Amino acid sequence: MMKAFYKLFIALYPLSARLLSVKNEKAARWVLGRKNIFERLTAGISHDRKIIWVHCASLGEFEQGRPLIEQLRKVFPETAILLTFFSPSGYEIQRQYSGADYVFYLPMDSKRHAERFFDIVQPALVIFIKYEFWYYYIREAAKRSIPVLLASGIFRRSQPFFQWYGGFYREMLGNFTWMFVQDQRSAELLATIGISSVAVTGDTRFDRVRAIADQFTPIEAIDHFCGGHPVIVAGSTWTEDDKELAHFANSNRHIRFIIAPHNVSKARIAECLLLYNTARTFSGSATNVEAGEEVNVLVIDSIGLLSRLYHYATIAFVGGGFGADGVHNVLEAAVYGKPVVFGPEYEKYIEAVQLTEKGGGFPVENALELETRFNLLLDDEFVYRQSCLAAASFIKENVGATEKIIRYIQEKRLFTT
């Protein structure tokens, strides 16, 4: 039954994307990116070196897989890396990523597509990141005796693998050679359905954010804007987040606020400029903000700066928690040893839960709680320092997942050049 539903889904998804592509840019990119995909794979891929295939759903999973890709490159320098994405939000930003030899969209899952893909690519090792589960691709790897790994996996009781109707999905998991999961709870859940080829190695994103922080370079315009003031950096914000933040920002002109919206479209930037009374865009030249000028909010209208912006924070606010999808990446902020505040939708994200338990993360329900938390952290030096230490130690205690995965690949000789 579930296999029939899966076949229906993989048949209808491309059709829906084509229908939406008329008015939806993301859907249009999804469709266009897969046009003549097999011909482009054939023309683009060489077999003068063995290939490791790494697949990510989107940009977030890429950031999770990136430290693993880069370490694979160091350990197996004579190897070619194929990186594939399902979503345009990953592919369009990272299609020029220099850490991979080849970057493509993944053709939609099907028996025929999987067979054709493996015939062309001929990977020697397959790695899926976090929670991408494509039945025919995974099964085809197993049929061809190609090791297939799951890196930084995370499992919850509510997922179909653990339901009475989940036999089809459990079969999919049984085709993995080994799964590296983020926490003990995931390993215990997998054990309840007979999956024992599992190791608890943690989340490779800790390694990624640590590397970013270690390579930090200053942004002169941001240094100038901050000017010795307390600074709140709000990253990956949505409209709901900015509405909760705006009153505090508008009422505290002595504090500098750096707002980095998740979406930097013209409409979204214009919305931020309306919500924050004394705001200027980053492209409007932060260096022109002089002492005494009534500008205390800088709206970042470009991408690629956020992981460096958190360095400047006295307090970090991570967006998404006031929306249904939930909070974004709290690790990017915590790595700098800063307290991290976020909205109430965070419990699906283990790193946010653990950061809160550690004392470095602070979920808030509404604007009033947000202001109370900000004021406490800004006014009480002891509370502030303790939360900074908690955030920093949380990161330090959890780095190393990448090394553990690489060591397993080497010890089990899953891949040799």
Side-chain angles (χ1 to χ4, degrees):
M1 175 66 76
M2 293 310 300
K3 189 172 183 179
F5 279 118
Y6 184 80
K7 286 183 174 180
L8 182 63
F9 165 76
I10 61 176
L12 292 179
Y13 194 100
L15 177 61
S16 300
R18 283 193 290 274
L19 292 173
L20 289 170
S21 67
V22 177
K23 294 184 177 180
N24 185 290
E25 183 181 355
K26 186 175 181 180
R29 289 179 176 179
W30 192 96
V31 173
L32 182 62
R34 287 168 171 80
K35 187 175 181 180
N36 301 321
I37 184 65
F38 288 106
E39 289 77 8
R40 288 190 284 120
L41 281 165
T42 301
I45 291 180
S46 169
H47 291 287
D48 55 341
R49 294 176 290 166
K50 287 186 177 180
I51 293 174
I52 297 177
W53 169 32
V54 180
H55 177 67
C56 309
S58 189
L59 188 60
E61 291 73 29
F62 167 76
E63 288 300 321
Q64 210 150 22
R66 183 169 181 163
L68 187 57
I69 293 170
E70 293 176 358
Q71 192 61 23
L72 285 167
R73 173 74 80 196
K74 290 179 182 178
V75 175
F76 304 110
E78 297 178 3
T79 299
I81 304 288
L82 166 65
L83 173 64
T84 60
F85 289 97
F86 183 77
S87 169
S89 59
Y91 175 82
E92 297 298 333
I93 293 174
Q94 295 297 340
R95 59 183 174 179
Q96 301 298 326
Y97 171 55
S98 61
D101 298 273
Y102 316 108
V103 183
F104 286 96
Y105 277 103
L106 181 69
M108 193 66 193
D109 194 26
S110 73
K111 185 176 185 297
R112 184 170 64 87
H113 282 180
E115 290 173 349
R116 192 174 179 187
F117 182 89
F118 276 90
D119 285 343
I120 296 169
V121 175
Q122 301 174 32
L125 177 65
V126 178
I127 304 174
F128 278 49
I129 305 298
K130 194 175 181 179
Y131 47 40
E132 274 286 272
F133 302 105
W134 295 112
Y135 175 80
Y136 290 105
Y137 282 107
I138 294 168
R139 191 181 72 161
E140 192 63 26
K143 282 173 60 179
R144 298 184 185 217
S145 299
I146 300 169
V148 55
L149 310 178
L150 180 69
S152 293
I154 188 78
F155 292 89
R156 295 185 294 274
R157 174 69 66 182
S158 60
Q159 291 172 310
F161 311 111
F162 311 106
Q163 310 307 317
W164 63 267
Y165 55 80
F168 167 72
Y169 296 97
R170 289 191 284 274
E171 178 190 346
M172 199 183 314
L173 295 186
N175 286 314
F176 279 92
T177 306
W178 202 264
M179 295 186 186
F180 302 97
V181 297
Q182 295 184 31
D183 64 345
Q184 187 62 35
R185 180 182 60 178
S186 293
E188 291 170 356
L189 278 172
L190 290 168
T192 66
I193 57 172
I195 303 293
S196 58
S197 299
V198 178
V200 180
T201 50
D203 188 345
T204 51
R205 282 184 302 168
F206 286 90
D207 303 324
R208 174 61 183 153
V209 297
R210 180 72 272 169
I212 291 172
D214 288 344
Q215 297 163 11
F216 170 78
T217 55
I219 306 170
E220 184 178 352
I222 300 297
D223 274 318
H224 184 88
F225 173 75
C226 295
H229 294 268
V231 178
I232 292 175
V233 175
S236 300
T237 64
W238 295 76
T239 301
E240 297 85 351
D241 302 301
D242 289 305
K243 286 180 177 178
E244 302 294 337
L245 281 164
H247 180 266
F248 188 76
N250 294 336
S251 303
N252 290 273
R253 302 290 179 83
H254 66 290
I255 301 173
R256 294 295 197 229
F257 293 82
I258 300 174
I259 310 298
H262 179 70
N263 177 352
V264 294
S265 67
K266 289 183 180 180
R268 182 73 178 94
I269 298 301
E271 179 183 56
C272 288
L273 294 176
L274 285 174
L275 283 169
Y276 298 100
N277 294 341
T278 56
R280 172 174 295 182
T281 61
F282 179 67
S283 64
S285 182
T287 56
N288 290 334
V289 180
E290 301 297 342
E293 188 176 350
E294 289 295 314
V295 174
N296 75 317
V297 179
L298 191 66
V299 179
I300 306 299
D301 51 351
S302 58
I303 61 173
L305 293 177
L306 181 56
S307 60
R308 294 161 70 195
L309 292 174
Y310 283 127
H311 168 87
Y312 294 94
T314 308
I315 302 169
F317 175 88
V318 176
F322 283 103
D325 291 338
V327 68
H328 288 273
N329 187 356
V330 299
L331 303 181
E332 286 183 317
V335 72
Y336 291 105
K338 306 297 173 68
V340 186
V341 180
F342 41 87
E345 297 297 326
Y346 72 97
E347 293 185 350
K348 292 190 299 183
Y349 301 90
I350 185 172
E351 67 279 6
V353 172
Q354 291 176 342
L355 181 61
T356 300
E357 293 171 348
K358 187 76 176 179
F362 302 94
V364 293
E365 292 286 336
N366 49 49
L368 180 59
E369 283 192 20
L370 182 147
E371 293 184 21
T372 300
R373 176 55 61 184
F374 280 165
N375 284 327
L376 177 61
L377 289 167
L378 290 169
D379 296 340
D380 192 317
E381 182 71 14
F382 177 79
V383 171
Y384 178 74
R385 290 300 171 195
Q386 289 299 110
S387 62
C388 289
L389 288 171
S393 64
F394 174 64
I395 299 295
K396 185 177 180 180
E397 291 166 5
N398 285 281
V399 294
T402 301
E403 182 182 345
K404 293 173 185 175
I405 296 171
I406 294 292
R407 188 184 308 130
Y408 177 88
I409 292 171
Q410 290 176 305
E411 290 177 351
K412 299 297 182 181
R413 300 186 65 81
L414 295 182
F415 182 84
T416 57
T417 56

